[in-house]
Amino acid sequence: MTASARVVPPRIEQLDALRGFALFGILVVNLGVFASPYYGLGLPDPGYDGGLDRAVRLLVACLFEMKFYLLFSFLFGYSFSLQLDSAQRAGEAFVPRMLRRSLGLWLIGLAHAVLLFHGDILGTYAAMGLALLAMRALSERAALRCALALIVATAASWAGLALLIRLSGETGAVDARSAAAEAQATLAGFTGPPSAVVAQRISELASTGIVLAFMQAPCALAMFLLGRVAGRREVFARLDRYRPLLRRLRRWGFGIGLPAAAFYAGVSTFEPGGALELAALALSLLTAPLLTGAYAALAMSGFAGRAGPRLVRWLAPAGRMALSNYLLQSAAAALVFTGYGLGLMGRVSPLAVLAFAVLLFGAQLRLSAWWMQRHGHGPMEWLLRAITLGTWPRWRKPARDAA
């Protein structure tokens, strides 16, 4: 069959909208890293430790942390499955293509980590994408078992660390003076000249790498596998067949995942930095996929409701250029909070940071809609596609297709 004669499956707009929804949650979490030098130190920022500040941090930790990158990971696996099936139908070599795509994603992620955001997830996706490629022939049952094992093993590792700290007789609590000194050094680095910002970002990569390797990477791979299974079953293209599954996801996610997330949020907000927080983290790692599933099920049900078409129209363009928007979020945050621009790290309250997230994402929705009316791909998607295919894709839509 010639390329012109191939039947291309219609794009699932709800899937793009769900990816756009995930982008907002990722933005809310990532802005917290940019905004406070105390992030991840196990000590609240003394400048913003009032009741409202804690309430906002509690909300973000409960509803956003460790949820939306899992949703994005699930969608990565789902798209992988669609791409593999499409390549098989067309008789194209899939492995070389995915290897080039992973290399391109890793290079983009490396530049992102060094220049804009040390919490970059793209490099992890590139590495775990290779693992998914190697596991592509797994049966659905084997893939589900492997995903469950990865989640349980990750949670058990952090629970074991909490237990070791407890048995050692140590509280694991953070020394306030050393944490404050580290925060001041972080603040000086990130609000200094651009060279100091890059140097500080590079110095943060080692500690961030531990979190990526022992928490986000295995959990992301687990969600890749779950997405792979869902993609093989074409869940989003056959939602009517899976309504009972969506109801179970909402029931389990909000019944089990949400209380566990609330427990973690309460501990991390009011008793941070000790063995108890690690234990709460382990519980959240174990149950976060359930709450993520509930979010996905709730969103897909909402997209099918009366206001659904409007929501999809708003969110889908941002989801179609998710890579570009992810990088744009980091660039905007770097300009606001680091020495690249305003240098406002440590000077913005959690509530103001949350408001900034809403405003920035709203602007991205408008920009994405404008861009996708004129182009077939986002700018970074275009670059990644060029690396993947080894040729330059069309930059603009033909005049007859542009709105």
Side-chain angles (χ1 to χ4, degrees):
M1 182 180 291
T2 64
S4 60
R6 290 174 194 151
V7 177
V8 179
R11 192 173 186 98
I12 304 173
E13 290 292 309
Q14 290 85 353
L15 196 62
D16 290 325
L18 190 58
R19 194 175 288 109
F21 173 59
L23 270 173
F24 174 67
I26 290 171
L27 172 63
V28 170
V29 176
N30 287 352
L31 282 182
V33 184
F34 280 97
S36 176
Y38 284 85
Y39 190 93
L41 294 182
L43 188 71
D45 188 335
Y48 296 102
D49 199 28
L52 181 59
D53 301 319
R54 291 196 175 203
V56 174
R57 283 199 291 267
L58 184 72
L59 177 72
V60 171
C62 179
L63 299 181
F64 291 89
E65 287 185 12
M66 294 184 291
K67 315 300 185 302
F68 285 90
Y69 91 90
L70 292 181
L71 178 55
F72 211 87
S73 301
F74 173 84
L75 295 171
F76 184 102
Y78 194 102
S79 297
F80 174 94
S81 188
L82 297 182
Q83 293 166 14
L84 175 58
D85 292 345
S86 177
Q88 290 175 340
R89 285 194 302 268
E92 296 176 344
F94 182 71
V95 172
R97 188 169 171 173
M98 283 305 297
L99 290 176
R100 291 192 297 270
R101 181 178 176 84
S102 295
L103 175 61
L105 194 61
W106 183 82
L107 290 173
I108 294 171
L110 178 63
H112 180 230
V114 172
L115 298 176
L116 294 177
F117 182 47
H118 52 278
D120 168 76
I121 195 69
L122 300 178
T124 301
Y125 275 17
M128 294 301 100
L130 293 178
L132 180 62
L133 183 64
M135 302 165 73
R136 66 190 183 281
L138 286 179
S139 68
E140 290 185 3
R141 178 173 295 183
L144 292 173
R145 287 178 175 174
C146 187
L148 178 61
L150 284 166
I151 292 168
V152 171
T154 303
S157 298
W158 289 91
L161 179 59
L163 181 60
L164 286 175
I165 292 174
R166 195 70 176 176
L167 292 177
S168 70
E170 299 290 336
T171 63
V174 175
D175 179 76
R177 293 182 65 181
S178 62
E182 185 175 349
Q184 290 305 309
T186 299
L187 180 64
F190 278 129
T191 57
S195 59
V197 175
V198 172
Q200 182 64 38
R201 207 170 295 290
I202 292 173
S203 71
E204 298 281 343
L205 288 177
S207 58
T208 304
I210 295 174
V211 175
L212 291 174
F214 295 102
M215 183 190 301
Q216 290 189 330
C219 291
L221 180 57
M223 298 305 289
F224 282 6
L225 291 167
L226 293 177
R228 165 75 172 132
V229 172
R232 290 174 68 173
R233 296 191 179 189
E234 298 182 317
V235 170
F236 292 121
R238 304 175 179 179
L239 273 182
D240 288 342
R241 184 181 301 179
Y242 291 97
R243 296 294 178 190
L245 174 61
L246 297 183
R247 287 194 294 270
R248 287 196 297 272
L249 284 173
R250 291 195 296 268
R251 184 167 61 248
W252 295 340
F254 293 124
I256 299 174
L258 186 57
F263 176 67
Y264 162 75
V267 173
S268 64
T269 301
F270 296 102
E271 293 290 337
L276 180 60
E277 183 180 15
L278 289 177
L281 172 64
L283 178 62
S284 186
L285 288 170
L286 185 64
T287 59
L290 294 176
L291 188 51
T292 299
Y295 285 173
L298 187 64
M300 295 307 291
S301 298
F303 295 155
R306 292 183 60 183
R310 181 178 297 177
L311 288 172
V312 171
R313 284 197 303 271
W314 286 345
L315 292 169
R320 288 190 64 182
M321 48 185 293
L323 175 59
S324 297
N325 277 316
Y326 173 66
L327 297 174
L328 180 58
Q329 289 171 356
S330 295
L335 286 173
V336 171
F337 294 106
T338 76
Y340 287 172
L342 300 178
L344 295 182
M345 174 180 270
R347 297 162 57 188
V348 182
S349 72
L351 182 60
V353 172
L354 184 58
F356 176 60
V358 173
L359 292 173
L360 175 57
F361 188 66
Q364 287 189 296
L365 292 182
R366 295 290 297 273
L367 177 61
S368 298
W370 175 84
W371 183 273
M372 295 309 300
Q373 286 176 353
R374 294 160 175 80
H375 302 82
H377 312 281
M380 296 308 300
E381 285 78 7
W382 179 87
L383 176 61
L384 185 59
R385 188 173 179 84
I387 295 172
T388 302
L389 300 179
T391 186
W392 297 114
R394 185 190 298 272
W395 176 248
R396 294 184 65 90
K397 285 183 177 180
R400 65 180 180 276
D401 296 335

